[in-house]
Amino acid sequence: MTDKVAGTVPNLTKETLGYIDKSLLPDVSIVPLPQIAKHADVFKSFDGSASELFAQDPETLIYISVQDSSNPVPTGHNTKNSVAVWDKGGKINITPESYMKVVEAVQPMFYESLADGDVDIKSSKKRVVKSVDRTLSHLQQCMDIYSNNKLSLSSNMLCLLEGGYSKEESLRCVKQVLKMTEQFDVWGFVLDSLPKEMVLSEEIKSLVASICEDLPPDKPVAVYKHGHPLSVLDLMQSGVTIFDTSYVTNTTKDNFAFIYEIPYQTEYGFATNKSKAVDTKSDDNGKIDINFVENLNLASKEHAESFFPILSTCTCYTCVNHSRAYIHHLITVNEMLAPVLIMIHNLHHFLTFFKVLQKIESLEKLDLFRKCLIEVNSSSEY
């Protein structure tokens, strides 16, 4: 949930974050390694917890991620012995030794294993194999440092799983990680290098499901950078249980605001405050052709005289007190209040969506929720 300042919500101060219902806010704050890699001494000398240093509630749990999922990472800089991260001053080469020193200094509740996640759909098979090999090597070194040096650390590790789009390499990574961690208790796993598609392809869903099937059922599985509601539901149906809010950050950066209606659970199924629903259509291959309306661009001139809320059914501070026209005006004059108001709405809406998902007990109900979500948000009339 961080952008330019580690441990804070982008665009929001502690005061403006208070406009969001506390019951919606998660207990965990993600702190990307690039923002703190050079400041291990600061954490060691500070008389208090890392959450207090970030001016957050002392009860907030800190999670160190290797990369910042809300910002693009330059490619081609990882080596056999180090992972490249980037702060405002440029590249920092992180070795397992330097990484574990930062983790020990911060004392987070959770931290990711060091990994080479610099692969995508264009990567060659040789590069993907190298990514997995380096990831396994980094993991082994981190565990050795933890065990041999007897670090004063009570943090929980989540293992990054690499393999890109290759099912063969992804499953090899899973198999080796499970073997390596038999005597080293890890808290969970993170699936890295997945595509950021609105609706995941059947191939990717099958890949995620295969990976999750091989992982221990009692360990949570996380996927970051994803936030489109249909993508989230696809991943949940495949076995993923944890997501981050980087999608909210990037949506807000582009002046877009979420407007999809969130179904709520009733005695007979799911319903929304909208009465009109639009049926989905199928193409010749049997795939659903979804005209899903997720957000609107508040920078568009069409909102210059829109004197109603971003979303009429939303109860956030922004929708209760301000109109689309006002926010459009703020964007036009480059007023810093614009991203603040959009962030309050987007974060409130996103967290409300997940609050509803937490109450869904089965995959059958999750599928019903998905169908209702598509039907009620396939209309362009807002």
Side-chain angles (χ1 to χ4, degrees):
M1 291 174 61
T2 179
D3 184 15
K4 296 185 181 300
V5 183
T8 64
V9 178
N11 305 305
L12 302 185
T13 63
K14 187 175 182 179
E15 180 182 359
T16 50
L17 182 61
Y19 289 129
I20 297 176
D21 186 347
K22 289 185 178 180
S23 66
L24 295 176
L25 294 174
D27 298 323
V28 180
S29 180
I30 294 181
V31 180
L33 177 63
Q35 307 295 334
I36 60 174
K38 296 180 179 179
H39 305 294
D41 292 340
V42 175
F43 289 95
K44 281 188 175 181
S45 61
F46 181 69
D47 186 19
S49 66
S51 56
E52 291 175 294
L53 185 60
F54 297 134
Q56 295 200 19
D57 189 304
E59 300 300 318
T60 300
L61 307 178
I62 299 300
Y63 176 120
I64 295 180
S65 63
V66 175
Q67 301 288 359
D68 187 344
S69 55
S70 67
N71 287 323
V73 180
T75 61
H77 296 274
N78 291 349
T79 70
K80 179 181 179 180
N81 300 314
S82 66
V83 172
V85 301
W86 301 77
D87 67 0
K88 291 181 179 179
K91 183 177 69 172
I92 308 172
N93 290 320
I94 302 294
T95 64
E97 293 80 6
S98 62
Y99 179 54
M100 292 306 290
K101 286 181 180 179
V102 173
V103 172
E104 184 179 24
V106 178
Q107 293 289 320
M109 177 58 69
F110 307 102
Y111 69 100
E112 295 176 347
S113 59
L114 198 63
D116 177 12
D118 184 16
V119 293
D120 57 27
I121 194 170
K122 297 179 182 179
S123 301
S124 66
K125 182 175 181 180
K126 181 179 180 181
R127 180 64 186 92
V128 175
V129 170
K130 187 179 293 185
S131 167
V132 172
D133 289 342
R134 289 176 177 176
T135 295
L136 296 174
S137 175
H138 294 332
L139 172 61
Q140 186 62 60
Q141 290 180 68
C142 287
M143 292 192 301
D144 290 343
I145 293 169
Y146 183 98
S147 303
N148 297 337
N149 294 354
K150 298 181 179 179
L151 302 181
S152 56
L153 186 64
S154 58
S155 304
N156 302 286
M157 177 190 284
L158 286 88
C159 290
L160 285 177
L161 301 176
E162 303 299 341
Y165 292 59
S166 169
K167 185 173 184 178
E168 178 184 359
E169 285 304 306
S170 295
L171 295 180
R172 178 172 76 91
C173 185
V174 170
K175 181 179 179 180
Q176 291 300 316
V177 166
L178 291 178
K179 184 176 181 180
M180 292 167 60
T181 57
E182 287 179 349
Q183 305 301 320
F184 189 96
D185 187 34
V186 296
W187 190 82
F189 303 90
V190 181
L191 307 189
D192 206 10
S193 308
L194 291 180
K196 294 181 289 184
E197 302 170 359
M198 182 185 80
V199 183
L200 300 182
S201 66
E202 292 301 320
E203 181 181 2
I204 295 301
K205 285 192 284 187
S206 174
L207 170 62
V208 174
S210 297
I211 294 173
C212 291
E213 285 175 2
D214 285 355
L215 295 174
D218 59 330
K219 303 288 185 181
V221 180
V223 168
Y224 302 138
K225 303 180 183 180
H226 288 263
H228 189 287
L230 299 183
S231 178
V232 167
L233 293 172
D234 285 340
L235 289 166
M236 287 184 65
Q237 289 175 322
S238 298
V240 176
T241 53
I242 298 177
F243 301 82
D244 72 342
T245 59
S246 59
Y247 187 81
V248 177
T249 299
N250 291 326
T251 300
T252 301
K253 282 181 183 178
D254 295 331
N255 296 318
F256 281 84
F258 298 135
I259 57 170
Y260 59 92
E261 293 282 347
I262 304 173
Y264 55 85
Q265 197 162 356
T266 68
E267 182 180 355
Y268 305 102
F270 294 93
T272 71
N273 294 318
K274 288 186 63 177
S275 59
K276 183 177 181 180
V278 177
D279 294 332
T280 57
K281 300 178 181 179
S282 297
D283 60 22
D284 295 335
N285 297 320
K287 297 180 180 179
I288 298 177
D289 179 18
I290 301 171
N291 179 29
F292 190 92
V293 181
E294 181 206 11
N295 52 41
L296 57 81
N297 182 4
L298 288 169
S300 174
K301 292 182 179 179
E302 67 181 290
H303 302 298
E305 297 182 6
S306 300
F307 297 103
F308 44 91
I310 294 174
L311 184 61
S312 60
T313 56
C314 181
T315 59
C316 76
Y317 172 85
T318 301
C319 288
V320 169
N321 294 282
H322 301 290
S323 67
R324 296 181 183 182
Y326 177 62
I327 300 173
H328 171 78
H329 164 71
L330 295 176
I331 294 171
T332 302
V333 298
N334 294 317
E335 171 58 52
M336 66 173 63
L337 180 58
V340 172
L341 294 178
I342 299 173
M343 189 66 176
I344 289 174
H345 166 76
N346 283 344
L347 191 56
H348 172 96
H349 192 275
F350 193 73
L351 295 176
T352 300
F353 174 65
F354 276 92
K355 201 74 172 181
V356 173
L357 293 180
Q358 288 176 350
K359 298 178 181 179
I360 299 178
E361 307 93 350
S362 66
L363 289 176
E364 290 77 16
K365 286 189 175 181
L366 191 65
D367 187 53
L368 289 175
F369 177 87
R370 189 181 193 278
K371 290 178 179 177
C372 182
L373 183 74
I374 292 173
E375 288 178 348
V376 79
N377 290 293
S378 293
S379 172
S380 60
E381 297 179 6
Y382 285 91

